[in-house]
Amino acid sequence: MRRVAFLGLGNMGIGMARRLLAAGHGVAVYNRSPGRAAPLVQQGATAAATPREAAAGAEIVFSMVGDDAASRHMWLGRDGALAARTAPRAFAVECSTISHRWIAALAARARGQGLRFVDCPVTGLPDAAAAGRLTLFLGADKADADALAPVFAAIATEVIHFGPVGAGNAYKLIVNLMGSIQIAALAEGLVTAERAGLDLGQVVQALSKGGSASPQVVRNAPLMLRGRHAEDVVFSGKWRLKDTAYGLAHARAMGVASTMGAGAAAAFRLLVADGTQHQNESKLVDAVRARDSRQR
């Protein structure tokens, strides 16, 4: 069993940390809102006051947070995990969906501290995290990926090793940008169907069986139809816009204009403009309705 630090106990991180505890690892946890750690402490975790304290003596340090700024908070500074005295040749595992520029900078900083760095974004919703059914997109040296495989087995049913550090992050940004485009297209399609006088319940049912039935469409179409976007928020418009912006920046850095990605980003910015970015990403359908009503 390994000594693990887990930084970030949001909807995804808390389930992942709990799975590591259940697998018998010694887990120290840190979250900026300390109350989130209480259920894990009851199950045997150790609560830390800072990321540095959590990472002290750790063999593996996981981070699972919302964006670049939160990742920097976890790793950098006097109280950051990179300031800790970890176990020799410890692993730094960044599971957050962050920008490609920051993943490269973070990898360089971690390696400069003698850590083995792995970029490890995940796919799956909070229920998958709680059940240990995530898919991991790995960017790592093969030897490091192999060494971590027994630990990853506690949190994931599939690990896809895309290549060296940065490759997992690159794939995650690509696939999330594609997901944003699909959700934006779905919202516009449903509003168009509504204007055409079609029964939206029938449209949603048909979409779930048709050629456009991507997982994003299948998941979000019933939510858009139901319309209760503030209930049971799983993935908010705020985080969808963040992922879209990071994916768009990466595409452009690769020399790809991504006009469809830019359109999706513009659509999700509507949620920020109307103050509903903390609701489910499915709220986009209402923002599209409002936008197009103003233009009529």
Side-chain angles (χ1 to χ4, degrees):
M1 296 297 102
R2 311 297 289 271
R3 287 174 292 167
V4 174
F6 204 99
L7 313 177
L9 301 174
N11 289 339
M12 297 294 288
I14 195 166
M16 295 167 70
R18 186 174 282 123
R19 291 292 303 180
L20 292 165
L21 271 171
H25 300 292
V27 182
V29 295
Y30 167 79
N31 194 68
R32 283 190 288 187
S33 301
R36 294 282 293 179
L40 297 176
V41 171
Q42 291 176 356
Q43 295 167 39
T46 300
T50 65
R52 178 177 180 172
E53 181 180 316
E59 298 169 80
I60 308 166
V61 182
F62 285 91
S63 169
M64 184 61 172
V65 294
D67 55 18
D68 286 9
S71 176
R72 290 189 184 97
H73 169 78
M74 293 301 185
W75 294 106
L76 302 186
R78 184 179 63 185
D79 291 327
L82 293 185
R85 180 171 292 182
T86 59
R89 290 182 51 74
F91 289 96
V93 183
E94 180 54 271
C95 297
S96 314
T97 302
I98 54 180
S99 73
H100 199 65
R101 177 176 292 185
W102 171 235
I103 205 75
L106 177 57
R109 295 285 291 267
R111 286 168 164 169
Q113 297 292 109
L115 299 174
R116 291 181 281 178
F117 186 83
V118 175
D119 86 88
C120 179
V122 312
T123 189
L125 295 172
D127 60 342
R133 297 196 309 267
L134 295 172
T135 295
L136 310 184
F137 303 139
L138 224 59
D141 293 341
K142 186 177 186 307
D144 293 342
D146 291 344
L148 286 169
V151 178
F152 288 153
I155 61 175
T157 53
E158 185 174 11
V159 178
I160 306 175
H161 185 198
F162 281 95
V165 169
N169 171 267
Y171 175 77
K172 182 66 188 297
L173 295 179
I174 291 164
V175 75
N176 276 23
L177 183 59
M178 291 176 64
S180 299
I181 293 166
Q182 292 163 11
I183 295 167
L186 170 64
E188 292 185 346
L190 289 181
V191 172
T192 304
E194 191 173 55
R195 295 275 179 88
L198 302 182
D199 181 306
L200 287 192
Q202 189 177 43
V203 168
V204 166
Q205 187 176 27
L207 281 173
S208 70
K209 301 174 183 177
S212 298
S214 72
Q216 289 289 9
V217 169
V218 170
R219 186 172 71 84
N220 277 285
L223 297 177
M224 291 183 180
L225 176 65
R226 187 181 66 172
R228 296 195 291 271
H229 310 289
E231 298 177 6
D232 302 321
V233 177
V234 172
F235 198 76
S236 71
K238 171 188 174 181
W239 296 125
R240 176 58 62 180
L241 177 58
K242 179 269 297 184
D243 284 2
T244 308
Y246 287 168
L248 192 56
H250 182 238
R252 288 171 173 165
M254 297 297 102
V256 178
S258 192
T259 53
M260 289 178 284
F268 280 101
R269 281 196 291 271
L270 295 171
L271 300 181
V272 175
D274 68 14
T276 59
Q277 69 269 26
H278 297 293
Q279 296 186 27
N280 265 312
E281 58 189 347
S282 56
K283 179 67 175 176
L284 183 63
V285 70
D286 288 342
V288 169
R289 284 191 185 105
R291 177 199 67 188
D292 293 342
S293 294
R294 290 192 295 267
Q295 294 176 354
R296 293 182 75 178

